[in-house]
Amino acid sequence: MENVMNPGTVTLMPLVISAIMVILGLVLWFFVNRASVKANQQIALLNTLVEQQKRQIVLLRRLCDANEQAEVSHEDSGSGAAPQVAAQENDDDFISLVAER
């Protein structure tokens, strides 16, 4: 009976189980923390993207206002072909801008 129930192994088992649980807890904490850091980085990048899009929208509105003023001034001068060419060139510039969603 003494060979089956060795007192050294019985007292050592809770210590081993505790060590395994601590190691598993640390590994789990590492992956959760890593995912949290990546999520925070993505949020920061998305905030930067939103700020850049807002700046682009402000610039686009300024360009539209300037374009409207230029068209009004060209219509007053009476030339027909030049404003259409200028407006078409400005339309090509707007393609590269990202619209707000």
Side-chain angles (χ1 to χ4, degrees):
M1 193 72 160
E2 289 180 15
N3 291 338
V4 175
M5 298 286 289
N6 189 355
T9 58
V10 173
T11 58
L12 190 60
M13 280 306 259
L15 184 63
V16 170
I17 291 173
S18 297
I20 290 173
M21 293 298 280
V22 167
I23 291 172
L24 288 175
L26 288 173
V27 169
L28 180 66
W29 175 81
F30 171 76
F31 286 110
V32 169
N33 190 26
R34 183 176 167 194
S36 174
V37 168
K38 284 186 178 184
N40 288 339
Q41 289 174 346
Q42 288 177 350
I43 289 170
L45 289 174
L46 289 173
N47 286 335
T48 304
L49 185 65
V50 167
E51 290 299 322
Q52 289 177 354
Q53 286 180 344
K54 287 180 181 178
R55 287 187 211 141
Q56 285 180 345
I57 289 168
V58 169
L59 289 173
L60 181 60
R61 286 182 181 153
R62 287 182 189 171
L63 285 172
C64 289
D65 291 341
N67 191 23
E68 288 175 4
Q69 290 174 357
E71 286 179 4
V72 169
S73 66
H74 283 291
E75 288 175 2
D76 292 340
S77 65
S79 63
Q84 291 175 350
V85 172
Q88 190 174 13
E89 290 175 359
N90 286 337
D91 288 340
D92 292 339
D93 293 337
F94 295 140
I95 292 173
S96 63
L97 296 176
V98 177
E100 183 178 10
R101 298 176 190 208

